Amino acid sequence: PRSDCIAAEQLCLSDSTCNATYRVLENCALAKTRFPPLDHDSRVRCLNAELDLGNSSLLHCKCHRRMKRQEHCLRIFWTVHSSMTDGYFNLETSPYENPAHEEHWKTDYNKLAALLSGKGCSQLSGGTTNPCLKATHICNLSKKCVRLRTDYASICTKGAGSEDMCDRRKCHRGLRNFFEKVPEDFTKRILFCPCQDELCGERRRKTIVPDCSFQYNTKPNCLWLLDSCLEDHICKSRLADFQQNCQPADMSPDGCSQRNHAACLQAYMGLIGTPMTPNYVGNSSVEVSVWCTCESSGNQKEKCDQILAMFESNKCL
């Protein structure tokens, strides 16, 4: 089985040859964040160091979405795979373990849903008219779900509607906390609840408090959004996970090349709370996008359009 990258790093550091190679890769990863870019010889040295790892557990390690020290684990992964992000945003492979290999929590969602639809609760649940309202009420019956949802809602609405701007970084952290720590039985139903009318659609669109987490006063260029994502280990990792699991394929029954639509939805949720946070674009459809534009992209217009297309015209998603 694949080891997690933190354990693999410790193993590597205890071996003098692996240790030396890993130190070269650390310098390579650091140099990539600086200007001017690496010269040809340096790039070859970095690529060779990556190849020198050969069958090392470090080269094949992965991280878990819900693990402690997740950022540290992801930093190790991108140190070892830094050549992947050279000049183009197709990140090729996800640093995250396949969801099927991760531990799935037993939740009391169905029990709470049954409790809600019991006597005297039909009005509270919103009946079948607003599934998004019902999903929220069921969340309110779970201590963990309601606590973490209240946490991000209070952070993300602070400063909204006044001259103070909300603290987007804190808001994003609160959202990631919610989607990582609350079982998917709850989070998926709140985010992907099926709507028949605009009132329900509006509630679904506002699930992630878009004024703070999603929208800026003016739409930034998508290439700027991508750059800010690639500078952040969590965002870069979630984007790689999204690209791997939401790769469209015409021949596949669910439109996904991985043939796993659930993994695509999980990867989509993983982007919420990062600079590439997606959301519904309106109340009356399930169209989603990231908050950016491709105007004034110059000769990089095609690359910019590809970023938008991952969300706006992705059959798998």
Side-chain angles (χ1 to χ4, degrees):
R2 283 198 179 106
S3 62
D4 80 64
C5 293
I6 295 174
E9 182 191 47
Q10 288 170 343
L11 206 63
C12 176
L13 296 181
S14 65
D15 174 272
S16 56
T17 312
C18 188
N19 191 331
T21 307
Y22 184 58
R23 296 303 178 198
V24 172
L25 287 171
E26 280 188 317
N27 289 331
C28 295
L30 195 63
K32 287 201 169 210
T33 63
R34 296 185 175 158
F35 193 82
L38 292 171
D39 58 40
H40 176 73
D41 289 350
S42 301
R43 284 162 62 120
V44 170
R45 190 168 66 250
C46 294
L47 202 54
N48 284 340
E50 200 171 305
L51 294 171
D52 284 346
L53 284 178
N55 288 323
S56 154
S57 59
L58 203 53
L59 197 63
H60 304 287
C61 71
K62 292 277 186 175
C63 302
H64 295 285
R65 290 165 186 79
R66 299 171 186 264
M67 74 187 293
K68 287 178 181 173
R69 300 175 70 200
Q70 181 184 164
E71 283 191 62
H72 179 61
C73 185
L74 295 171
R75 182 185 61 74
I76 298 165
F77 179 90
W78 291 115
T79 296
V80 176
H81 297 281
S82 64
S83 67
M84 277 184 195
T85 53
D86 241 19
Y88 190 57
F89 77 93
N90 192 347
L91 301 172
E92 290 180 35
T93 188
S94 170
Y96 289 111
E97 188 62 89
N98 184 315
H101 301 154
E102 290 189 6
E103 191 181 324
H104 286 287
W105 299 344
K106 285 183 180 172
T107 70
D108 50 4
Y109 184 90
N110 290 336
K111 206 187 292 179
L112 294 176
L115 185 69
L116 191 69
S117 59
K119 288 181 181 176
C121 291
S122 55
Q123 278 185 308
L124 178 68
S125 71
T128 50
T129 55
N130 192 336
C132 295
L133 193 59
K134 182 178 180 180
T136 305
H137 285 316
I138 294 171
C139 171
N140 290 344
L141 295 175
S142 159
K143 281 181 186 173
K144 187 176 221 172
C145 189
V146 73
R147 176 172 58 81
L148 290 170
R149 187 173 165 275
T150 306
D151 280 356
Y152 85 71
S154 61
I155 297 165
C156 299
T157 49
K158 210 172 276 182
S162 67
E163 286 179 19
D164 301 324
M165 288 295 286
C166 71
D167 190 329
R168 183 173 274 112
R169 285 178 82 90
K170 276 189 179 174
C171 173
H172 279 170
R173 201 179 307 127
L175 278 164
R176 288 202 310 272
N177 243 351
F178 176 73
F179 284 102
E180 280 175 23
K181 293 181 179 174
V182 174
E184 275 183 31
D185 277 355
F186 294 89
T187 54
K188 267 189 173 173
R189 283 173 168 90
I190 287 174
L191 192 66
F192 302 125
C193 39
C195 286
Q196 301 297 323
D197 60 65
E198 287 203 21
L199 198 68
C200 176
E202 173 73 351
R203 187 174 188 93
R204 181 173 60 190
R205 194 181 66 82
K206 288 196 166 171
T207 293
I208 64 164
V209 197
D211 288 348
C212 186
S213 70
F214 175 68
Q215 291 169 202
Y216 297 77
N217 289 335
T218 53
K219 277 190 177 182
N221 186 282
C222 299
L223 296 165
W224 175 84
L225 209 62
L226 177 69
D227 285 344
S228 60
C229 180
L230 295 181
E231 285 167 13
D232 176 283
H233 282 126
I234 285 189
C235 188
K236 179 162 66 169
S237 302
R238 302 296 171 84
L239 184 61
D241 196 48
F242 177 79
Q243 286 189 319
Q244 179 180 299
N245 288 301
C246 295
Q247 197 70 42
D250 289 335
M251 302 302 287
S252 179
D254 59 2
C256 304
S257 63
Q258 298 282 329
R259 301 196 172 193
N260 189 344
H261 191 242
C264 174
L265 293 183
Q266 184 182 45
Y268 173 91
M269 288 197 297
L271 281 169
I272 294 171
T274 71
M276 290 285 281
T277 294
N279 198 17
Y280 297 97
V281 292
N283 307 337
S284 51
S285 75
V286 287
E287 285 176 49
V288 296
S289 185
V290 274
W291 183 259
C292 63
T293 176
C294 283
E295 286 172 25
S296 314
S297 296
N299 60 359
Q300 289 193 295
K301 175 85 164 62
E302 194 181 335
K303 179 181 171 183
C304 187
D305 286 339
Q306 281 182 297
I307 299 167
L308 274 177
M310 285 195 297
F311 297 90
E312 291 182 355
S313 49
N314 185 332
K315 282 182 183 176
C316 174
L317 182 62

